[in-house]
Amino acid sequence: MRLVLLGPPGVGKGTQGRRLALACEWALISTGGILREAIARGTPLGIQAARLMDDGRLVPDDVMIELVRERTLDADAADGFVLDGFPRTVPQADALDEMLQGRRLKLDGVVSLAVPQAELIRRLSGRRECPVCKRAYHMTDAPPRDGRHCDDHPATELVQRVDDAEETVRTRLAVYAEQTEPLIDYYARTGRLIEVPGVGAMDDVFAALKQVVGCRRRAG
Ligand code: AP5
């Protein structure tokens, strides 16, 4: 199955995408994660992306489309993938359809997650991430066992993402409303939109998500 997780910053795309990919044995393709890795390695892509991401702006479409074109060809994506953070603009959505059609494949569904803006801000301000495995925690809702270090990497202290600074979050939400939200109509018009409430406990959101996408490979 090929699935897109759509929704504003902080809605839970990464959290749920990670669980879904594991449960259903699909590849998780997080474009934000790929870019942050490129920044950490200091590659040309990372250098270009860092400036834009730190300001909460989008990386150019042509760069993102090429990145996703290549990543979706990796062996682990052959039986299915979950896209977290792509597409984010109409040209990216058009390119995704074209790319899949060219491989005689199709996008099976687009899950739109939604929560009120105040909750998005609360989630982003409390988010901390493991620099090694990139797992996201929340300091009150999903804290690490010892309150500071990653459960799976006990020597690694959690960090706050640079773009989770208050001012940058405001920009990211505005960019989402202007450039990405129109994709909800875009996919609704072609009958591919699946709406799932993002509010509630992470386990409940996951159960709802798993039910609508129809993954039954493992208990999850
Ligand atoms: P990206 O990394 O994709 O960021 P984003 O879309 O802004 O989304 P986030 O990762 O902030 O939030 P999320 O929805 O994954 O929430 P999470 O699960 O972590 O992109 C970053 C940047 O890269 C962009 O700004 C852009 O510059 C660039 N970029 C990436 N893709 C691009 C593209 N296609 N085109 C152009 N540029 C691109 O959850 C958030 C917090 O809430 C966590 O702490 C979590 O523990 C907590 N939480 C989750 N669910 C719940 C719940 N149910 N209840 C309580 N807390 C919860």
Side-chain angles (χ1 to χ4, degrees), residues 185-198:
D185 274 350
Y186 175 102
Y187 285 119
R189 278 200 305 275
T190 47
R192 291 178 288 178
L193 193 74
I194 306 164
E195 291 183 277
V196 173

Side-chain angles (χ1 to χ4, degrees), residues 71-136:
R71 177 62 185 90
T72 49
L73 286 172
D74 287 348
D76 68 331
D79 291 338
F81 53 75
V82 183
L83 280 165
D84 157 21
F86 185 97
R88 258 177 150 96
T89 63
V90 170
Q92 290 184 16
D94 286 338
L96 179 62
D97 280 343
E98 275 170 33
M99 153 187 337
L100 291 176
Q101 276 159 19
R103 298 173 195 169
R104 296 179 196 278
L105 299 171
K106 68 177 178 59
L107 187 59
D108 297 294
V110 177
V111 176
S112 166
L113 290 167
V115 306
Q117 180 143 325
E119 172 66 2
L120 295 176
I121 293 169
R122 192 192 70 81
R123 289 185 185 181
L124 291 173
S125 61
R127 174 166 59 187
R128 299 292 181 278
E129 189 177 85
C130 171
V132 176
C133 66
K134 315 301 176 198
R135 177 172 162 190

Side-chain angles (χ1 to χ4, degrees), residues 30-42 46 49 53 84 127 129 134 161-163 172:
S30 157
T31 46
I34 295 171
L35 294 172
R36 281 185 288 279
E37 211 173 290
I39 292 173
R41 292 206 318 267
M53 287 172 75
D84 157 21
R127 174 166 59 187
E129 189 177 85
K134 315 301 176 198
R161 267 171 50 176
V162 176
D163 61 349
R172 287 163 62 201

Side-chain angles (χ1 to χ4, degrees), residues 7-16 30-33 35-36 49 52-54 56-61 64 84-89 92 119 122-124 126-128 136-139 141-142 161 163-164 172 198-203 205:
V11 78
K13 302 182 298 298
T15 301
Q16 300 299 339
S30 157
T31 46
L35 294 172
R36 281 185 288 279
L52 297 162
M53 287 172 75
D54 288 357
R57 290 179 292 143
L58 297 185
V59 174
D61 285 338
M64 296 313 300
D84 157 21
F86 185 97
R88 258 177 150 96
T89 63
Q92 290 184 16
E119 172 66 2
R122 192 192 70 81
R123 289 185 185 181
L124 291 173
R127 174 166 59 187
R128 299 292 181 278
Y137 293 83
H138 190 277
M139 294 319 278
D141 295 14
R161 267 171 50 176
D163 61 349
D164 280 348
R172 287 163 62 201
V199 183
M202 291 177 208
D203 285 350
V205 175

Side-chain angles (χ1 to χ4, degrees), residues 1 24 26 208-217:
M1 188 165 215
C24 304
W26 299 326
L209 188 58
K210 210 154 62 101
Q211 181 151 15
V212 295
V213 304
C215 158
R216 290 186 182 81
R217 287 177 91 159

